[in-house]
Amino acid sequence: MENDCLFCRIVAGEIPATVVRETETTLAFRDIAPKAPVHVLVIPKEHYADVVTLTEADPGLAGDVLGTAAVVAETEGLVADGFRLIFNTGPYGGQEVFHAHAHVLGGEPLGPMLAR
């Protein structure tokens, strides 16, 4: 656990979250500032700064994150109409919390990928 990492503190139970799914290796919880009707974050319980670091260090755990994201999309009723799965990576990618995480977004048409 990184002492100053928000998501590590959520995993440790120090900060509350609305959990929608938990496995041995992953945690999925609702975003506190949702960008869509459904906005769930899926994280590995172990700390990795971003998805590249996670994938290089533990491809199996990266697969667990994807698997949990797929289950969340299904249980949230997003599969039939579609959803977006996003990994923001680094400052240019818009990453705000430097603990690898996927955003599962859906529940309405999401529009274009980038707004210019």
Side-chain angles (χ1 to χ4, degrees):
M1 177 175 128
E2 298 284 321
N3 290 336
D4 61 341
C5 174
L6 173 67
F7 291 169
C8 285
R9 294 182 66 203
I10 289 172
V11 169
E14 296 173 10
I15 296 175
T18 304
V19 174
V20 298
R21 180 158 180 83
E22 183 171 7
T23 70
E24 187 174 310
T25 59
T26 65
L27 186 68
F29 52 92
R30 300 208 184 277
D31 194 295
I32 61 169
K35 308 298 186 224
V38 175
H39 188 168
V40 176
L41 302 176
V42 181
I43 67 170
K45 289 182 176 179
E46 190 173 343
H47 182 87
Y48 291 95
D50 56 48
V51 70
V52 174
T53 305
L54 166 62
T55 303
E56 289 173 346
D58 194 337
L61 181 55
D64 290 349
V65 171
L66 288 174
T68 298
V71 171
V72 166
E74 180 146 0
T75 59
E76 293 289 319
L78 303 177
V79 174
D81 291 326
F83 63 96
R84 191 168 287 162
L85 181 63
I86 299 172
F87 288 90
N88 296 327
T89 304
Y92 280 17
Q95 187 175 3
E96 295 176 0
V97 177
F98 288 85
H99 181 123
H101 60 285
H103 297 258
V104 179
L105 299 139
E108 69 183 13
L110 297 174
M113 282 292 297
L114 294 174
R116 295 249 174 202

